Amino acid sequence: MFLTISTSGTAALPATDLGFLLHKHPDKAQKFSTSYGTAHVFYPEADAERCTAALLLEVDTVALVRRGKGKGRGGAPDAALAQYVNDRPYAASSLLAVALSAVFSSALRGVCNARPQRAAEPLPLRIAVPALPARGGPDLVRQLFEPLGWAVTAEPVALDTEFPAWGDSRYVRLVLESEKLTLAEALRHLYVLLPVLDDAKHYWVSSDEVDKLLRAGEGWLPTHPEQKLITSRYLSRRWSLTRQAMERLELVRLAEADDSEVESIDNAVEEEPEGEEKPTPLAVQRREAILAALHASGAARVLDLGCGQGQLVQELLKDARFSEVVGVDVSVRALTIASRRLKLDRMGERQAARVKLFQGSLAYTDKRLKGYDAAVLSEVVEHLDLPRLPALEYAVFGHARPRTVLVTTPNVEYNVRWETLPAGHVRHGDHRFEWTREEFRTWAAAVAERHGYEVGFQPVGPDDPEVGPPTQMAVFHRDEIHNDTPKEAKAA
């Protein structure tokens, strides 16, 4: 990806002062390592009348994939391929914004000890970005840059010049020109608005991004007519971060209107005490929901399939209503940790008689799993490749056939609410897929139909009116007297 910054000058105020302002010498070609590749800075032209600095970012696409957390949504083949075949090496994005910040950090802050007066004065500037993704088209590009004092040229790039009927792509050739802005202001506009137009970020978005936005937006964002859109997109539509940023921007606006400091008007509420109660972790809420469903089913002998390190087994053993608890996992290491957690070597004889841990794969039938009241598959199915799900389905619902089966799995729709989760990524690197609510319900209904169960659904965690809960739970139940044979067996 490529960007140029040009300025003009005179013998008294030479254009080559741009080298001082950027802290990069016009006679040198320099390169800098970044998290995702190599940034090159060089000057195609440099004399008293005109000077152009170019920033070329070579993206290492393999490093980009390796540094990503998790796989694309669903682990679908097209999502996996898109990790390697995409526009990241060629089109301006948050990666270029990060490179701008890293390579021109002093210029972004307006610091130039060699030419302090020039750094504080407006310059005749021309900025060109040959390939800029613009979700919203040329009109949105103008809406974002023109209020900041830029003359904007945003030419749509055709999908294919040989086939004009195909129309335009989402990319534009961008040229910005102004004589009213300092170099630092120009760089801060680019730093914020490049990822806003791309409407995607390629690194973790957390609370420190709010501080970055407010620093880069100082002096222009509080009064920008598209402030809400800029804030939401810059923060990857994380609603809590967006709300926090909007509140702080409003304080800045009020302080400026009142010609006072932000601290002087943001004093109506005392700081929250350090001992304030924290929200209940989702893992705890999940275990509580499972226990409540097991109580409602009347189960006494319970299987924890894919028990991991034994957290749920430990909770079940605390409740005397469960006379037998069995933890099953394919990982010997996980079972070893679970054994230590439960202190099996020091457990009393009566308590030890209630619990068993053994190794087993849910992809195969196992006669040891038959005869139990209930089975729990908590955050298990998403760790299997989709082609292996039918084997798990038959092993649990067709062969073991507990009277009640609880299945919990992430709701991928809720992922937009996680402030630290990059867009398009799953919650854990080992998740092969994550289902929407509709996808989960469709799968569960088909399983129930095939194996003679009834199924209901419960939210786990806060049930967001737009995207649902973070965890979804299916409760399968069959009538032991009237419905003991799977449909497939009856048909046979």
Side-chain angles (χ1 to χ4, degrees):
M1 55 186 75
F2 189 66
L3 174 148
T4 60
I5 304 170
S6 302
T7 189
S8 56
T10 64
L13 295 172
T16 49
D17 281 351
L18 182 64
F20 288 104
L21 301 180
L22 292 174
H23 298 261
K24 303 293 179 286
H25 199 290
D27 292 339
K28 296 180 180 179
Q30 298 174 266
K31 63 179 181 180
F32 307 86
S33 294
T34 73
S35 301
Y36 300 102
T38 304
H40 302 266
V41 178
F42 56 94
Y43 289 76
E45 56 183 345
D47 55 41
E49 293 184 353
R50 186 165 181 82
C51 186
T52 297
L55 174 63
L56 172 67
L57 179 61
E58 287 185 295
V59 175
D60 183 341
T61 53
V62 175
L64 186 62
V65 173
R66 286 174 177 169
R67 288 177 62 86
K69 302 298 182 183
K71 302 174 179 63
R73 171 180 165 181
D78 57 339
L81 181 62
Q83 294 181 98
Y84 296 94
V85 183
N86 53 53
D87 65 356
R88 296 306 99 189
Y90 315 106
S93 67
S94 60
L95 299 180
L96 186 58
V98 170
L100 273 173
S101 176
V103 175
F104 299 137
S105 58
S106 296
L108 215 106
R109 299 194 307 271
V111 175
C112 181
N113 294 331
R115 297 287 191 275
Q117 187 173 353
R118 290 284 270 164
E121 293 175 348
L123 296 175
L125 291 170
R126 184 183 189 274
I127 295 174
V129 184
L132 173 67
R135 297 183 187 273
D139 289 340
L140 180 59
V141 177
R142 287 187 282 270
Q143 290 169 24
L144 294 182
F145 282 104
E146 285 181 349
L148 302 174
W150 292 102
V152 180
T153 302
E155 299 176 353
V157 177
L159 279 173
D160 193 318
T161 55
E162 297 295 322
F163 300 94
W166 289 2
D168 296 328
S169 69
R170 68 184 183 96
Y171 303 93
V172 299
R173 296 184 185 91
L174 175 67
V175 176
L176 303 172
E177 295 178 292
S178 176
E179 296 185 358
K180 303 175 181 178
L181 300 167
T182 66
L183 179 63
E185 289 171 332
L187 293 175
R188 288 199 292 267
H189 296 166
L190 293 171
Y191 177 75
V192 173
L193 297 181
L194 290 182
V196 166
L197 283 165
D198 189 25
D199 198 15
K201 282 204 170 183
H202 306 91
Y203 54 87
W204 296 101
V205 176
S206 54
S207 56
D208 62 346
E209 290 296 300
V210 175
D211 296 325
K212 293 178 185 178
L213 174 63
L214 296 182
R215 281 197 301 270
E218 185 178 358
W220 63 271
L221 184 55
T223 57
H224 198 290
E226 299 295 338
Q227 177 200 101
K228 186 174 182 181
L229 179 143
I230 293 169
T231 303
S232 175
R233 285 194 177 190
Y234 183 86
L235 298 170
S236 297
R237 304 180 190 272
R238 303 291 195 263
W239 66 271
S240 61
L241 295 182
T242 301
R243 182 180 61 195
Q244 178 185 340
M246 293 295 291
E247 289 172 352
R248 290 173 62 179
L249 286 168
E250 179 61 13
L251 284 173
V252 171
R253 189 190 67 79
L254 291 172
E256 289 178 350
D258 198 39
D259 195 22
S260 59
E261 297 294 326
V262 171
E263 291 77 9
S264 66
I265 61 174
D266 188 23
N267 59 3
V269 180
E270 295 181 1
E271 291 187 7
E272 296 178 354
E274 293 183 2
E276 184 178 356
E277 185 176 350
K278 296 181 179 179
T280 305
L282 180 59
V284 175
Q285 295 183 60
R286 191 183 300 123
R287 289 194 290 272
E288 290 174 348
I290 290 169
L291 287 169
L294 290 173
H295 289 164
S297 73
R301 303 175 67 238
V302 179
L303 295 166
D304 183 7
L305 304 178
C307 66
Q309 298 178 15
Q311 291 95 329
L312 179 60
V313 172
Q314 187 176 44
E315 291 300 314
L316 291 169
L317 288 175
K318 293 177 182 178
D319 193 326
R321 280 177 282 194
F322 302 114
S323 60
E324 185 178 353
V325 180
V326 176
V328 182
D329 204 283
V330 72
S331 169
V332 173
R333 181 172 181 272
L335 292 171
T336 301
I337 296 173
S339 177
R340 291 172 185 162
R341 176 188 296 275
L342 299 171
K343 299 181 175 64
L344 289 183
D345 56 338
R346 288 177 281 168
M347 188 175 284
E349 185 177 344
R350 180 178 296 181
Q351 185 78 333
R354 295 175 60 213
V355 61
K356 297 176 186 175
L357 297 178
F358 61 77
Q359 184 188 23
S361 171
L362 300 180
Y364 303 97
T365 58
D366 189 332
K367 63 182 181 181
R368 294 176 297 178
L369 304 183
K370 294 179 71 72
Y372 286 86
D373 300 326
V376 178
L377 289 157
S378 180
E379 310 301 286
V380 170
V381 294
E382 64 274 10
H383 290 273
L384 274 71
D385 292 317
L386 284 169
R388 302 190 71 185
L389 269 185
L392 174 143
E393 174 191 330
Y394 179 74
V396 176
F397 294 91
H399 184 262
R401 294 190 61 73
R403 189 172 69 249
T404 298
V405 181
L406 308 181
V407 179
T408 74
T409 191
N411 166 25
V412 72
E413 296 170 80
Y414 192 88
N415 286 0
V416 297
R417 300 297 190 240
W418 295 116
E419 298 170 0
T420 57
L421 186 64
H425 287 235
V426 293
R427 298 183 198 175
H428 189 280
D430 190 51
H431 286 186
R432 303 303 199 264
F433 62 88
E434 287 179 358
W435 276 325
T436 64
R437 287 168 290 175
E438 182 179 353
E439 289 168 339
F440 181 50
R441 287 170 180 263
T442 300
W443 174 81
V447 170
E449 175 71 15
R450 282 192 290 268
H451 299 284
Y453 284 79
E454 295 180 351
V455 63
F457 302 91
Q458 298 178 17
V460 180
D463 197 356
D464 188 284
E466 295 181 3
V467 297
T471 296
Q472 44 193 342
M473 180 166 71
V475 180
F476 296 85
H477 186 77
R478 66 177 178 83
D479 188 320
E480 218 169 11
I481 298 175
H482 300 101
N483 196 7
D484 195 40
T485 308
K487 270 199 169 186
E488 293 175 349
K490 288 179 180 178

